[in-house]
Amino acid sequence: MEISAAIKDELRRFCESFAEDRIGRIQNNIKSINDSLKSETKSSAGDKHETGRAMIQLEREKLGHQLYEAEKMRQALAGITILPSHANIGQGSLVITTEGVYYISISAGAFKKGPAQIYCISSLSPIGKKLLGKSKGHCFDFNQKTICIKKVL
């Protein structure tokens, strides 16, 4: 299958859906934990009760951090515009290399359409950092392989 710039809209929607689903799951987990904290009643076990509440509180803080990171993903997507091809790789670029196809946006995993598999990656990921700012024809070493950029859309 020939990969063209037209698929960028689908990739963006895929990433937006990924971010929204993640935010929704985290918010549901936070709600569940808040409900647990509210329904927790003081038992005669005293210390056990306080330990349980502390564990729930730690979980809530962890989920709060995950929600913050997911919101940052959503903000990163909002800053990406679907523009025509650029000479240099940046946010929103679709990059075809000798080792795979990458959409520079957020880390959302693999997007599959027919036989094509496109990896949605963050510009802060190890491969994203290597690709950023490069252009067609540029080669670089990554994980003991030489990867060459065949096309930037």
Side-chain angles (χ1 to χ4, degrees), residues 82-107:
I82 305 295
L83 297 174
S85 301
H86 297 120
N88 293 333
I89 297 168
Q91 286 290 90
S93 293
L94 181 58
V95 185
I96 301 169
T97 73
T98 53
E99 292 296 319
V101 181
Y102 303 95
Y103 177 60
I104 313 296
S105 59
I106 63 168
S107 294

Side-chain angles (χ1 to χ4, degrees), residues 41-52:
T41 57
K42 185 94 172 166
S43 70
S44 60
D47 287 344
K48 248 181 158 177
H49 169 75
E50 293 304 319
T51 301

